[in-house]
Structures are given as C-alpha cells and as structure tokens.
Amino acid sequence: MRLRALLDTDALGLRLLGGEDELDRGVRGVMTTDLRDPSRYLSGGELVLTGLAWRRDADDSEPFVRILVQAGVAALAAGEAELGDVPEDLVTACARHRLPLFAVHESVAFATITEHVVRQVSGERAGDLAAVVDRHRRMMTSGPAGGGPDVVLDLLGSDLDLRAWVLSPTGRLIAGPKVAGPALPAELCAKLAAEHLAATRGGRRGPHRLPVGGTTYSLFPIRSSGRSPQTGRDVRETVLSDWLLAVEADAGDWADERLDLLHGVTQLIAVERDRRDAARTVRRRLAQEVLELVQTGAPPAEIAARLRVAAPVLLPGLGAAPHWQIVVARVEWDGDEIESGPVAQSLLEEVLVDPVATGPEPSDRIAVAHTGDEAIALVPLPAVSAEHDGSESGVLADQLLAAVREPLSAGLDGDGRLTLGVSAAVHSAEGLRGALEEARHARRVAAARTGRVCAAGHQELASHVLLLPFVPDDVRRAFTARLLDPLRDYDRRHRAELIPTLEAFLECDGSWTRCASRLHLHVNTLRYRVGRIEQLTGRDLSRLEDKLDFFLALRMS
C-alpha cells in the first residue's frame, strides 16, 4: 500500500507533519517501538509507530530518525498521547532526512493502525494471504474453538505451499500444519530454537536461515504486539520468551512481497500469543497469593483454603486434591542490572510444559509468580495413592535440564545464566514452606556448578550438606519428612513399628541377628519389615549413603 492511502482513512486519525513529496512510498509492514535503537527489528519498508518514550530531550530526535532512515523505513508516526503535540525537533529531523512524519491523535490506538496496515498490505501485495487473515480474524472472534495458530499454518500450506511451525524458545512445538507430511523431530526443533536465540543475541537481522540435512529453514521472530516500552529496552529481557516461526524454505531469495506476507503472519500469531498471556493473569495471581501466604508464615488452614481455589483452575475436573511441587528459577546477566524476574517467570511457564506436549494449552496449567529476580512455580500433580511406593513422579531436575539445555544455552551464551531448583512433592499446605526452601536451596546448588543452564533437584541435597550451618531449618525438616513420613503413615495405619525397627537396625550396624534378637523378632520378620521400609522410601539399607541419611533424619526428627 502507499503512504497517501493512510491519510484517506479517517478512522486512523493520522495528520501529515512533513514529507508531502514522499507519499508514494510503499508500506510493507508496521512496527511499534519505543526503543532508542530499534534497528535490529527493522527490515525496511515499515511504518514505524512510536509513543516517544525514547525521547528525553531535543538531542535524541536526530539519532533516532537517522537510525530509521538507515534501516529503510517508509515513514514515522508519532503518538500525541504522551507529550501532546509532536516535538518540533522531531519534525525538523524528519524533514532533514526526507522521512515522512505523521501525528497520531491520542484517541487512536496503535493497534487500530497496525491491524489496518496488515490487512491492507496483505490484500494488496499478497492476495493469497487474504484468506489467512480473514480466517484468522473469524477464529479470534469465535474463541478457542477457532483452531489457534494451526489454522494460519494450514492455510499457508494450502495457499502458498509453505510448511511452517510455531516454536517456543525452548524448541517446544506450539503449532504446526495438520496436513500430511513428516513431523518436525524434537531434536530439530531444539536446533532451530538454538539458532534463532543465538542469532537474536548476536544482533543479526531476521529472517535467520539454517541449512539442516539438505533443507534450509527460515526463522522469523514472533514478538508480543502488546509489549510495553519498559520491557522492550534490552533484547535480553525478551529473547528467552519470544516465539518463532520456522518455515521450511530459504527466504534468502524471496521477493519483498513474500517477506511481507510472512511478517504479516507473525503479527497475526503474535495476537494469539497476547491472548494466551492475558489468560495467564489469573494463574499468576493465584501463585502470587499462595506464595505470599507461605512466605509470611500464614496458618496452614489459610494456605489450604487458597490451594482449594487454585486446584480447579490448574487441574480442571480433578476429583481429589492434588499434590504440589515448587520449582524456583533465576536468570542472571553479567554486569548490567536487568529486571530478570518477569523474564524468569515467562521462561519458567514454558520450561515446565512437558517437552513432548504440543500447543499452547498445556502451559495454561502452571502457576508462576515472581519476586525480585526469582520466579517461583506452583506445579500441581495428580494425587498419588496413599500407599506411597517411593517412586519418582512430577518434575525431575535432570529431565527438565535435558529438555532445555541446548536452545537456552544459545540464548544465554556469553553473559547469562539460568539456574533451576526443584523440590520434592508435598501433599498438604503444611509442606509448602519446606518445599519452597528446598527448591531455593537446590537452585543454589545448581548455581555452584558450571554451565549456562543448570538444575538441581531435592535428591541432590545430600546428608553431609544438611550438616552445614547455613542450610535453612525448613530444608532439614523437608528432608526428614520425605524420608520418615511414609514410614510414620504406614505405622499409623498398620501398627507395623517400622520406625522402631529402623532405629534398632541402624543401632545394630545392620546386623540381622543382633537386631532380630533385640526386637524379639524372627529374622524373616525383620527382613520383611526392612524390605517394606526400602519399598516405601525408595532407599537401600545395604548402602552406606542411605544408612547415613536415615541416621540423620532420625536424629533431626
């Protein structure tokens, strides 16, 4: 579309401030920014919308306009909501560089202009995308049943013969074409995500291209259309949370029209991303409320009441109250002070999704809050049977690490780290404070290791570590409860005296005959009880490490 067509649409509220001779320029896309240097996000031909938050004084206008001109943008539109009239220094700078300048009336939202430009560009420059736009708009108004990003990708395949996938920053498949064709392997998804993150961190302009086994994939960023200026100042604040569009084609030789088409598709998918993020508000609030209660030492009954509210939201249709795990994450960057709490929150919401799960919906079952630079996840688990058999379930640190290490290491390479700590599962409100401290301590264990992405679980809080004075009492209690509670519960139900048996067995240095004699038991009965202890706890009383753990747990209980 041409710039002068924008002035013919009254609903856009645009007023021309300069550049009358340049109104025949073509517009290939639209971008909203308040960055002082948005060049890495520009590919040329855009109408740039800005709220002027980047301008601190009159000297800022000249370098900002120069950057836009060097990037080949079509025009600049400045909003009047923040400063009133567009500053004269910006008008002068645009005139000097022959950059058309529009003023946007304060009553007009940038989203209105964005939608209009995307629709017009799609219709004029790529008629084969019009069906995608219309279909997607119908999908958005019809609710979740409309099909999500998959609809757009299916139409790209049917109308343009392009196979494309939406991937998370960890390489999880968010959406893909439903038409016949080989699935995108998980290893390839991780490789594509890693390449995208590395290219973005390196400041390379997209689309990024990656040849794999004779096929070239082109990678387009999908950035939140609702991002505020405060969260978009540094690429490190968003690189770990942005989705990407991977297209099975080499975009290096594409015409401008085809590139415009794909940029339009990413903007449409970004709208879906914004809707999903908005839906997370309730879950984040639930997590924040539970976290505040736990950290302030609220009565367990009050925490339990809040959990009963959270459970149906996180696990709808669940009959019994779930068990819970705590996962703590921190993203740290060398040198600069960057607000990393929201980054860790968004990343943790994605990381905790089962890596083999597809679509955005599975991530809507996790509640994550952030406090300072730390993100804390409240992970619901379907309640296990009362006869706990000692097997591992829920989130496991090593599996978590294996799923995200490759792509996220690329995004953090050079100056960033992600550390994760995972607690054991707890079945009541009383255990949450201990689980939180346990997860935090596990994260500190992970932070002591080398590598850009590190994780540690509750299993790695070894007994000798618990003897150190800096370990919180809650961690000690959580360790003790995890070992002895299954035995106490069993004794309470069956009067089996497993705890006294364990104490005697350890005091007799594992001697079967001496222990059986002390307890006045047949050796076979003692063997049965010890076997039951090992079954319930998942430990082996023939191993020195496990004997030490039980010894310390009994002494600290």
Side-chain angles (χ1 to χ4, degrees), residues 40-41 192-211 216-223 235 239 243-247 249-252 259 263:
R40 63 163 59 95
Y41 304 120
L192 294 175
E195 171 64 20
H196 171 73
L197 290 174
T200 303
R201 283 300 315 277
R204 285 150 47 195
R205 182 177 298 178
H208 316 303
R209 292 143 57 208
L210 178 66
T216 298
Y217 295 87
S218 298
L219 312 176
F220 296 80
I222 300 172
R223 299 187 176 92
V235 67
V239 67
W243 287 355
L244 68 136
L245 178 68
V247 182
D250 188 347
L259 287 172
H263 285 303

mmCIF file of all heavy atoms in Angstrom, residues 40-41 192-211 216-223 235 239 243-247 249-252 259 263:
data_model
loop_
_atom_site.group_PDB
_atom_site.id
_atom_site.type_symbol
_atom_site.label_atom_id
_atom_site.label_comp_id
_atom_site.label_asym_id
_atom_site.label_seq_id
_atom_site.Cartn_x
_atom_site.Cartn_y
_atom_site.Cartn_z
ATOM 1 N N ARG A 40 17.610 -3.494 14.956
ATOM 2 C CA ARG A 40 17.688 -4.950 14.829
ATOM 3 C C ARG A 40 16.332 -5.561 14.500
ATOM 4 O O ARG A 40 16.260 -6.710 14.063
ATOM 5 C CB ARG A 40 18.236 -5.579 16.108
ATOM 6 C CG ARG A 40 17.385 -5.373 17.350
ATOM 7 C CD ARG A 40 17.784 -6.364 18.445
ATOM 8 N NE ARG A 40 19.153 -6.251 18.829
ATOM 9 C CZ ARG A 40 19.611 -5.536 19.850
ATOM 10 N NH1 ARG A 40 18.751 -4.841 20.568
ATOM 11 N NH2 ARG A 40 20.874 -5.486 20.145
ATOM 12 N N TYR A 41 15.250 -4.817 14.716
ATOM 13 C CA TYR A 41 13.912 -5.342 14.455
ATOM 14 C C TYR A 41 13.332 -4.827 13.135
ATOM 15 O O TYR A 41 12.184 -5.115 12.818
ATOM 16 C CB TYR A 41 12.968 -4.974 15.598
ATOM 17 C CG TYR A 41 13.447 -5.437 16.947
ATOM 18 C CD1 TYR A 41 13.689 -4.524 17.968
ATOM 19 C CD2 TYR A 41 13.688 -6.784 17.194
ATOM 20 C CE1 TYR A 41 14.149 -4.952 19.210
ATOM 21 C CE2 TYR A 41 14.155 -7.221 18.419
ATOM 22 C CZ TYR A 41 14.378 -6.303 19.428
ATOM 23 O OH TYR A 41 14.833 -6.730 20.650
ATOM 24 N N LEU A 192 16.650 -25.559 15.829
ATOM 25 C CA LEU A 192 16.126 -24.331 15.228
ATOM 26 C C LEU A 192 15.971 -23.236 16.291
ATOM 27 O O LEU A 192 16.299 -22.060 16.045
ATOM 28 C CB LEU A 192 14.777 -24.605 14.566
ATOM 29 C CG LEU A 192 14.800 -25.536 13.349
ATOM 30 C CD1 LEU A 192 13.381 -25.821 12.866
ATOM 31 C CD2 LEU A 192 15.643 -24.950 12.220
ATOM 32 N N ALA A 193 15.466 -23.617 17.466
ATOM 33 C CA ALA A 193 15.316 -22.630 18.538
ATOM 34 C C ALA A 193 16.670 -22.090 18.973
ATOM 35 O O ALA A 193 16.822 -20.885 19.223
ATOM 36 C CB ALA A 193 14.577 -23.252 19.716
ATOM 37 N N ALA A 194 17.670 -22.966 19.064
ATOM 38 C CA ALA A 194 19.006 -22.531 19.464
ATOM 39 C C ALA A 194 19.589 -21.560 18.443
ATOM 40 O O ALA A 194 20.194 -20.541 18.811
ATOM 41 C CB ALA A 194 19.924 -23.746 19.628
ATOM 42 N N GLU A 195 19.419 -21.855 17.169
ATOM 43 C CA GLU A 195 19.919 -20.962 16.119
ATOM 44 C C GLU A 195 19.228 -19.608 16.186
ATOM 45 O O GLU A 195 19.864 -18.556 16.062
ATOM 46 C CB GLU A 195 19.705 -21.598 14.749
ATOM 47 C CG GLU A 195 19.978 -20.670 13.570
ATOM 48 C CD GLU A 195 21.432 -20.223 13.489
ATOM 49 O OE1 GLU A 195 22.300 -20.892 14.085
ATOM 50 O OE2 GLU A 195 21.698 -19.207 12.814
ATOM 51 N N HIS A 196 17.924 -19.616 16.405
ATOM 52 C CA HIS A 196 17.173 -18.365 16.488
ATOM 53 C C HIS A 196 17.646 -17.519 17.677
ATOM 54 O O HIS A 196 17.864 -16.314 17.545
ATOM 55 C CB HIS A 196 15.683 -18.672 16.615
ATOM 56 C CG HIS A 196 14.844 -17.479 16.932
ATOM 57 N ND1 HIS A 196 14.570 -16.499 16.003
ATOM 58 C CD2 HIS A 196 14.239 -17.088 18.083
ATOM 59 C CE1 HIS A 196 13.820 -15.567 16.562
ATOM 60 N NE2 HIS A 196 13.612 -15.901 17.823
ATOM 61 N N LEU A 197 17.819 -18.164 18.831
ATOM 62 C CA LEU A 197 18.249 -17.420 20.014
ATOM 63 C C LEU A 197 19.662 -16.868 19.837
ATOM 64 O O LEU A 197 19.947 -15.731 20.212
ATOM 65 C CB LEU A 197 18.189 -18.321 21.243
ATOM 66 C CG LEU A 197 16.790 -18.705 21.731
ATOM 67 C CD1 LEU A 197 16.881 -19.722 22.859
ATOM 68 C CD2 LEU A 197 16.019 -17.487 22.185
ATOM 69 N N ALA A 198 20.550 -17.681 19.263
ATOM 70 C CA ALA A 198 21.923 -17.229 19.050
ATOM 71 C C ALA A 198 21.969 -16.056 18.077
ATOM 72 O O ALA A 198 22.702 -15.083 18.286
ATOM 73 C CB ALA A 198 22.782 -18.389 18.541
ATOM 74 N N ALA A 199 21.191 -16.140 16.993
ATOM 75 C CA ALA A 199 21.174 -15.057 16.007
ATOM 76 C C ALA A 199 20.599 -13.775 16.604
ATOM 77 O O ALA A 199 21.092 -12.671 16.366
ATOM 78 C CB ALA A 199 20.360 -15.485 14.788
ATOM 79 N N THR A 200 19.543 -13.924 17.403
ATOM 80 C CA THR A 200 18.938 -12.749 18.029
ATOM 81 C C THR A 200 19.904 -12.108 19.010
ATOM 82 O O THR A 200 20.048 -10.876 19.050
ATOM 83 C CB THR A 200 17.641 -13.142 18.754
ATOM 84 O OG1 THR A 200 16.747 -13.764 17.811
ATOM 85 C CG2 THR A 200 16.954 -11.926 19.348
ATOM 86 N N ARG A 201 20.581 -12.933 19.833
ATOM 87 C CA ARG A 201 21.554 -12.392 20.779
ATOM 88 C C ARG A 201 22.696 -11.712 20.039
ATOM 89 O O ARG A 201 23.299 -10.756 20.549
ATOM 90 C CB ARG A 201 22.111 -13.512 21.660
ATOM 91 C CG ARG A 201 21.221 -13.994 22.765
ATOM 92 C CD ARG A 201 20.832 -12.937 23.762
ATOM 93 N NE ARG A 201 21.921 -12.103 24.202
ATOM 94 C CZ ARG A 201 22.787 -12.408 25.155
ATOM 95 N NH1 ARG A 201 22.672 -13.567 25.775
ATOM 96 N NH2 ARG A 201 23.733 -11.588 25.494
ATOM 97 N N GLY A 202 23.032 -12.224 18.851
ATOM 98 C CA GLY A 202 24.121 -11.634 18.079
ATOM 99 C C GLY A 202 23.736 -10.395 17.318
ATOM 100 O O GLY A 202 24.583 -9.795 16.636
ATOM 101 N N GLY A 203 22.463 -9.994 17.402
ATOM 102 C CA GLY A 203 22.020 -8.786 16.722
ATOM 103 C C GLY A 203 21.824 -8.944 15.229
ATOM 104 O O GLY A 203 21.706 -7.938 14.511
ATOM 105 N N ARG A 204 21.778 -10.194 14.738
ATOM 106 C CA ARG A 204 21.578 -10.394 13.304
ATOM 107 C C ARG A 204 20.126 -10.161 12.928
ATOM 108 O O ARG A 204 19.221 -10.552 13.657
ATOM 109 C CB ARG A 204 21.988 -11.823 12.933
ATOM 110 C CG ARG A 204 23.496 -11.999 12.902
ATOM 111 C CD ARG A 204 23.963 -13.389 13.260
ATOM 112 N NE ARG A 204 23.232 -14.444 12.572
ATOM 113 C CZ ARG A 204 23.278 -15.710 12.961
ATOM 114 N NH1 ARG A 204 23.968 -16.045 14.038
ATOM 115 N NH2 ARG A 204 22.606 -16.623 12.309
ATOM 116 N N ARG A 205 19.920 -9.518 11.816
ATOM 117 C CA ARG A 205 18.568 -9.205 11.357
ATOM 118 C C ARG A 205 17.921 -10.435 10.732
ATOM 119 O O ARG A 205 18.528 -11.156 9.958
ATOM 120 C CB ARG A 205 18.613 -8.056 10.348
ATOM 121 C CG ARG A 205 17.256 -7.627 9.842
ATOM 122 C CD ARG A 205 17.379 -6.437 8.908
ATOM 123 N NE ARG A 205 17.938 -5.285 9.592
ATOM 124 C CZ ARG A 205 18.190 -4.128 8.991
ATOM 125 N NH1 ARG A 205 17.972 -3.993 7.702
ATOM 126 N NH2 ARG A 205 18.692 -3.116 9.682
ATOM 127 N N GLY A 206 16.664 -10.689 11.094
ATOM 128 C CA GLY A 206 15.941 -11.829 10.561
ATOM 129 C C GLY A 206 15.423 -11.570 9.162
ATOM 130 O O GLY A 206 15.456 -10.443 8.667
ATOM 131 N N PRO A 207 14.927 -12.585 8.459
ATOM 132 C CA PRO A 207 14.837 -13.956 8.971
ATOM 133 C C PRO A 207 16.203 -14.655 8.989
ATOM 134 O O PRO A 207 17.032 -14.430 8.123
ATOM 135 C CB PRO A 207 13.889 -14.643 7.985
ATOM 136 C CG PRO A 207 14.051 -13.870 6.708
ATOM 137 C CD PRO A 207 14.308 -12.448 7.118
ATOM 138 N N HIS A 208 16.409 -15.479 10.014
ATOM 139 C CA HIS A 208 17.636 -16.255 10.117
ATOM 140 C C HIS A 208 17.455 -17.552 9.341
ATOM 141 O O HIS A 208 16.381 -18.146 9.362
ATOM 142 C CB HIS A 208 17.947 -16.552 11.578
ATOM 143 C CG HIS A 208 17.763 -15.374 12.476
ATOM 144 N ND1 HIS A 208 18.421 -14.180 12.271
ATOM 145 C CD2 HIS A 208 16.964 -15.187 13.569
ATOM 146 C CE1 HIS A 208 18.067 -13.316 13.203
ATOM 147 N NE2 HIS A 208 17.167 -13.888 13.989
ATOM 148 N N ARG A 209 18.488 -17.993 8.667
ATOM 149 C CA ARG A 209 18.381 -19.190 7.837
ATOM 150 C C ARG A 209 19.356 -20.239 8.337
ATOM 151 O O ARG A 209 20.497 -19.939 8.682
ATOM 152 C CB ARG A 209 18.674 -18.842 6.383
ATOM 153 C CG ARG A 209 17.595 -17.957 5.761
ATOM 154 C CD ARG A 209 18.154 -16.922 4.810
ATOM 155 N NE ARG A 209 18.920 -17.543 3.747
ATOM 156 C CZ ARG A 209 19.931 -16.922 3.115
ATOM 157 N NH1 ARG A 209 20.275 -15.704 3.467
ATOM 158 N NH2 ARG A 209 20.580 -17.535 2.154
ATOM 159 N N LEU A 210 18.881 -21.494 8.380
ATOM 160 C CA LEU A 210 19.690 -22.591 8.893
ATOM 161 C C LEU A 210 19.522 -23.803 7.997
ATOM 162 O O LEU A 210 18.437 -24.381 7.914
ATOM 163 C CB LEU A 210 19.264 -22.932 10.330
ATOM 164 C CG LEU A 210 20.010 -24.104 10.979
ATOM 165 C CD1 LEU A 210 21.481 -23.741 11.190
ATOM 166 C CD2 LEU A 210 19.353 -24.489 12.294
ATOM 167 N N PRO A 211 20.589 -24.221 7.295
ATOM 168 C CA PRO A 211 20.517 -25.452 6.495
ATOM 169 C C PRO A 211 20.702 -26.677 7.384
ATOM 170 O O PRO A 211 21.628 -26.736 8.192
ATOM 171 C CB PRO A 211 21.687 -25.293 5.511
ATOM 172 C CG PRO A 211 22.642 -24.365 6.178
ATOM 173 C CD PRO A 211 21.855 -23.484 7.100
ATOM 174 N N THR A 216 16.768 -26.049 3.983
ATOM 175 C CA THR A 216 17.011 -24.774 4.656
ATOM 176 C C THR A 216 15.733 -24.308 5.342
ATOM 177 O O THR A 216 14.654 -24.323 4.738
ATOM 178 C CB THR A 216 17.483 -23.694 3.665
ATOM 179 O OG1 THR A 216 18.728 -24.104 3.092
ATOM 180 C CG2 THR A 216 17.675 -22.349 4.362
ATOM 181 N N TYR A 217 15.855 -23.902 6.584
ATOM 182 C CA TYR A 217 14.742 -23.370 7.352
ATOM 183 C C TYR A 217 14.976 -21.880 7.591
ATOM 184 O O TYR A 217 16.093 -21.469 7.930
ATOM 185 C CB TYR A 217 14.607 -24.093 8.695
ATOM 186 C CG TYR A 217 14.246 -25.549 8.553
ATOM 187 C CD1 TYR A 217 15.237 -26.515 8.379
ATOM 188 C CD2 TYR A 217 12.920 -25.970 8.579
ATOM 189 C CE1 TYR A 217 14.923 -27.855 8.240
ATOM 190 C CE2 TYR A 217 12.589 -27.310 8.439
ATOM 191 C CZ TYR A 217 13.592 -28.241 8.268
ATOM 192 O OH TYR A 217 13.261 -29.569 8.120
ATOM 193 N N SER A 218 13.926 -21.094 7.403
ATOM 194 C CA SER A 218 13.983 -19.660 7.663
ATOM 195 C C SER A 218 13.214 -19.368 8.944
ATOM 196 O O SER A 218 12.083 -19.851 9.117
ATOM 197 C CB SER A 218 13.399 -18.870 6.488
ATOM 198 O OG SER A 218 14.153 -19.102 5.311
ATOM 199 N N LEU A 219 13.813 -18.585 9.817
ATOM 200 C CA LEU A 219 13.275 -18.362 11.155
ATOM 201 C C LEU A 219 12.872 -16.904 11.322
ATOM 202 O O LEU A 219 13.698 -15.997 11.159
ATOM 203 C CB LEU A 219 14.325 -18.745 12.202
ATOM 204 C CG LEU A 219 14.998 -20.105 12.001
ATOM 205 C CD1 LEU A 219 16.082 -20.330 13.042
ATOM 206 C CD2 LEU A 219 13.963 -21.239 12.034
ATOM 207 N N PHE A 220 11.604 -16.692 11.643
ATOM 208 C CA PHE A 220 11.050 -15.355 11.827
ATOM 209 C C PHE A 220 10.640 -15.171 13.292
ATOM 210 O O PHE A 220 9.941 -16.028 13.848
ATOM 211 C CB PHE A 220 9.814 -15.152 10.947
ATOM 212 C CG PHE A 220 10.086 -15.211 9.469
ATOM 213 C CD1 PHE A 220 10.212 -16.436 8.821
ATOM 214 C CD2 PHE A 220 10.202 -14.053 8.723
ATOM 215 C CE1 PHE A 220 10.453 -16.503 7.464
ATOM 216 C CE2 PHE A 220 10.441 -14.105 7.360
ATOM 217 C CZ PHE A 220 10.570 -15.330 6.726
ATOM 218 N N PRO A 221 11.037 -14.078 13.937
ATOM 219 C CA PRO A 221 10.622 -13.860 15.334
ATOM 220 C C PRO A 221 9.144 -13.515 15.423
ATOM 221 O O PRO A 221 8.586 -12.860 14.536
ATOM 222 C CB PRO A 221 11.492 -12.682 15.783
ATOM 223 C CG PRO A 221 11.800 -11.943 14.516
ATOM 224 C CD PRO A 221 11.894 -13.001 13.433
ATOM 225 N N ILE A 222 8.508 -13.995 16.479
ATOM 226 C CA ILE A 222 7.111 -13.633 16.786
ATOM 227 C C ILE A 222 7.145 -12.885 18.103
ATOM 228 O O ILE A 222 7.295 -13.486 19.167
ATOM 229 C CB ILE A 222 6.211 -14.879 16.903
ATOM 230 C CG1 ILE A 222 6.211 -15.654 15.589
ATOM 231 C CG2 ILE A 222 4.788 -14.483 17.280
ATOM 232 C CD1 ILE A 222 5.497 -16.993 15.676
ATOM 233 N N ARG A 223 7.039 -11.578 18.039
ATOM 234 C CA ARG A 223 7.162 -10.756 19.236
ATOM 235 C C ARG A 223 5.803 -10.277 19.685
ATOM 236 O O ARG A 223 4.934 -9.986 18.870
ATOM 237 C CB ARG A 223 8.081 -9.564 18.989
ATOM 238 C CG ARG A 223 9.496 -9.982 18.608
ATOM 239 C CD ARG A 223 10.448 -8.814 18.529
ATOM 240 N NE ARG A 223 11.791 -9.285 18.248
ATOM 241 C CZ ARG A 223 12.294 -9.407 17.027
ATOM 242 N NH1 ARG A 223 11.564 -9.076 15.992
ATOM 243 N NH2 ARG A 223 13.510 -9.853 16.847
ATOM 244 N N VAL A 235 17.315 -6.528 24.456
ATOM 245 C CA VAL A 235 16.919 -7.786 23.831
ATOM 246 C C VAL A 235 16.982 -8.943 24.821
ATOM 247 O O VAL A 235 16.250 -9.927 24.710
ATOM 248 C CB VAL A 235 17.800 -8.062 22.596
ATOM 249 C CG1 VAL A 235 19.241 -8.326 23.000
ATOM 250 C CG2 VAL A 235 17.253 -9.226 21.789
ATOM 251 N N VAL A 239 14.428 -12.139 24.784
ATOM 252 C CA VAL A 239 14.922 -13.192 23.903
ATOM 253 C C VAL A 239 14.530 -14.582 24.398
ATOM 254 O O VAL A 239 14.332 -15.499 23.591
ATOM 255 C CB VAL A 239 16.460 -13.078 23.750
ATOM 256 C CG1 VAL A 239 17.165 -13.382 25.064
ATOM 257 C CG2 VAL A 239 16.969 -14.009 22.655
ATOM 258 N N TRP A 243 8.312 -16.354 20.871
ATOM 259 C CA TRP A 243 8.126 -17.492 19.975
ATOM 260 C C TRP A 243 8.859 -17.222 18.663
ATOM 261 O O TRP A 243 9.333 -16.107 18.404
ATOM 262 C CB TRP A 243 6.643 -17.675 19.660
ATOM 263 C CG TRP A 243 5.830 -18.218 20.790
ATOM 264 C CD1 TRP A 243 6.271 -18.647 22.008
ATOM 265 C CD2 TRP A 243 4.405 -18.389 20.797
ATOM 266 N NE1 TRP A 243 5.221 -19.080 22.775
ATOM 267 C CE2 TRP A 243 4.064 -18.928 22.058
ATOM 268 C CE3 TRP A 243 3.395 -18.145 19.883
ATOM 269 C CZ2 TRP A 243 2.746 -19.230 22.409
ATOM 270 C CZ3 TRP A 243 2.090 -18.444 20.218
ATOM 271 C CH2 TRP A 243 1.764 -18.982 21.476
ATOM 272 N N LEU A 244 8.932 -18.253 17.804
ATOM 273 C CA LEU A 244 9.477 -18.067 16.465
ATOM 274 C C LEU A 244 8.677 -18.879 15.465
ATOM 275 O O LEU A 244 8.054 -19.884 15.823
ATOM 276 C CB LEU A 244 10.949 -18.474 16.403
ATOM 277 C CG LEU A 244 11.272 -19.970 16.569
ATOM 278 C CD1 LEU A 244 12.315 -20.402 15.534
ATOM 279 C CD2 LEU A 244 11.794 -20.249 17.969
ATOM 280 N N LEU A 245 8.677 -18.416 14.245
ATOM 281 C CA LEU A 245 8.024 -19.106 13.132
ATOM 282 C C LEU A 245 9.121 -19.722 12.269
ATOM 283 O O LEU A 245 9.967 -19.001 11.726
ATOM 284 C CB LEU A 245 7.185 -18.136 12.307
ATOM 285 C CG LEU A 245 6.471 -18.727 11.075
ATOM 286 C CD1 LEU A 245 5.370 -19.684 11.514
ATOM 287 C CD2 LEU A 245 5.892 -17.619 10.200
ATOM 288 N N ALA A 246 9.137 -21.049 12.157
ATOM 289 C CA ALA A 246 10.121 -21.759 11.346
ATOM 290 C C ALA A 246 9.455 -22.202 10.046
ATOM 291 O O ALA A 246 8.466 -22.933 10.074
ATOM 292 C CB ALA A 246 10.663 -22.964 12.102
ATOM 293 N N VAL A 247 9.995 -21.754 8.925
ATOM 294 C CA VAL A 247 9.427 -22.052 7.610
ATOM 295 C C VAL A 247 10.397 -22.935 6.839
ATOM 296 O O VAL A 247 11.594 -22.645 6.775
ATOM 297 C CB VAL A 247 9.156 -20.756 6.822
ATOM 298 C CG1 VAL A 247 8.514 -21.072 5.467
ATOM 299 C CG2 VAL A 247 8.251 -19.824 7.625
ATOM 300 N N ALA A 249 11.803 -23.373 4.025
ATOM 301 C CA ALA A 249 12.118 -22.716 2.754
ATOM 302 C C ALA A 249 13.281 -21.773 3.001
ATOM 303 O O ALA A 249 13.526 -21.342 4.133
ATOM 304 C CB ALA A 249 10.915 -21.945 2.208
ATOM 305 N N ASP A 250 13.986 -21.429 1.937
ATOM 306 C CA ASP A 250 15.087 -20.476 2.023
ATOM 307 C C ASP A 250 14.582 -19.095 1.649
ATOM 308 O O ASP A 250 14.282 -18.815 0.491
ATOM 309 C CB ASP A 250 16.213 -20.904 1.079
ATOM 310 C CG ASP A 250 17.469 -20.065 1.257
ATOM 311 O OD1 ASP A 250 17.394 -19.016 1.930
ATOM 312 O OD2 ASP A 250 18.520 -20.456 0.730
ATOM 313 N N ALA A 251 14.445 -18.232 2.653
ATOM 314 C CA ALA A 251 13.905 -16.891 2.411
ATOM 315 C C ALA A 251 14.936 -15.944 1.826
ATOM 316 O O ALA A 251 14.622 -14.786 1.547
ATOM 317 C CB ALA A 251 13.367 -16.307 3.723
ATOM 318 N N GLY A 252 16.174 -16.422 1.630
ATOM 319 C CA GLY A 252 17.216 -15.546 1.115
ATOM 320 C C GLY A 252 16.945 -15.028 -0.277
ATOM 321 O O GLY A 252 17.421 -13.947 -0.641
ATOM 322 N N LEU A 259 8.256 -11.810 1.695
ATOM 323 C CA LEU A 259 8.726 -11.479 3.038
ATOM 324 C C LEU A 259 7.657 -10.698 3.804
ATOM 325 O O LEU A 259 7.433 -10.936 5.000
ATOM 326 C CB LEU A 259 10.012 -10.662 2.972
ATOM 327 C CG LEU A 259 11.276 -11.430 2.557
ATOM 328 C CD1 LEU A 259 12.428 -10.472 2.352
ATOM 329 C CD2 LEU A 259 11.641 -12.466 3.615
ATOM 330 N N HIS A 263 5.932 -11.700 7.455
ATOM 331 C CA HIS A 263 5.931 -10.771 8.589
ATOM 332 C C HIS A 263 4.498 -10.511 9.050
ATOM 333 O O HIS A 263 4.227 -10.393 10.255
ATOM 334 C CB HIS A 263 6.612 -9.460 8.207
ATOM 335 C CG HIS A 263 8.102 -9.556 8.139
ATOM 336 N ND1 HIS A 263 8.869 -9.964 9.206
ATOM 337 C CD2 HIS A 263 8.966 -9.310 7.118
ATOM 338 C CE1 HIS A 263 10.152 -9.959 8.847
ATOM 339 N NE2 HIS A 263 10.232 -9.577 7.592
#
